[in-house]
Amino acid sequence: MDMVDLILTVCLIANPGNCRDEHLYFESRGSLVQCMVLAPSEIAKWSQEHPNLKVKRWKCAFPNKDRAI
């Protein structure tokens, strides 16, 4: 199954300079369009589950082949 990576850059609300990347994965269905369509609702759901973090930016990409999913 081909996957696409939704990469969130998230920062601590209490310390906005403390940021990291989080990766969420989706079935790609052959393009990054599926990720772009699903991203807003997944970001909202992720944000509700992580109230101490704020999503600063996000992007869709195909996963690095060396990275285990």
Side-chain angles (χ1 to χ4, degrees), residues 32-66:
L32 296 178
V33 174
Q34 183 70 15
C35 177
M36 298 298 288
V37 170
L38 293 173
S41 63
E42 291 299 317
I43 292 168
K45 184 176 12 173
W46 188 94
S47 294
Q48 287 179 338
E49 294 169 359
H50 301 85
N52 294 330
L53 296 169
K54 179 178 179 161
V55 177
K56 186 172 183 177
R57 71 176 72 89
W58 61 273
K59 66 180 179 179
C60 295
F62 288 110
N64 181 335
K65 299 244 186 262
D66 298 332

Side-chain angles (χ1 to χ4, degrees), residues 6-13 15-23 46 49-58 67:
L6 171 57
I7 305 165
L8 308 177
T9 301
V10 299
C11 304
L12 287 172
I13 290 176
N15 184 2
N18 187 353
C19 302
R20 69 174 189 265
D21 286 343
E22 290 285 334
H23 297 261
W46 188 94
E49 294 169 359
H50 301 85
N52 294 330
L53 296 169
K54 179 178 179 161
V55 177
K56 186 172 183 177
R57 71 176 72 89
W58 61 273
R67 183 179 175 90

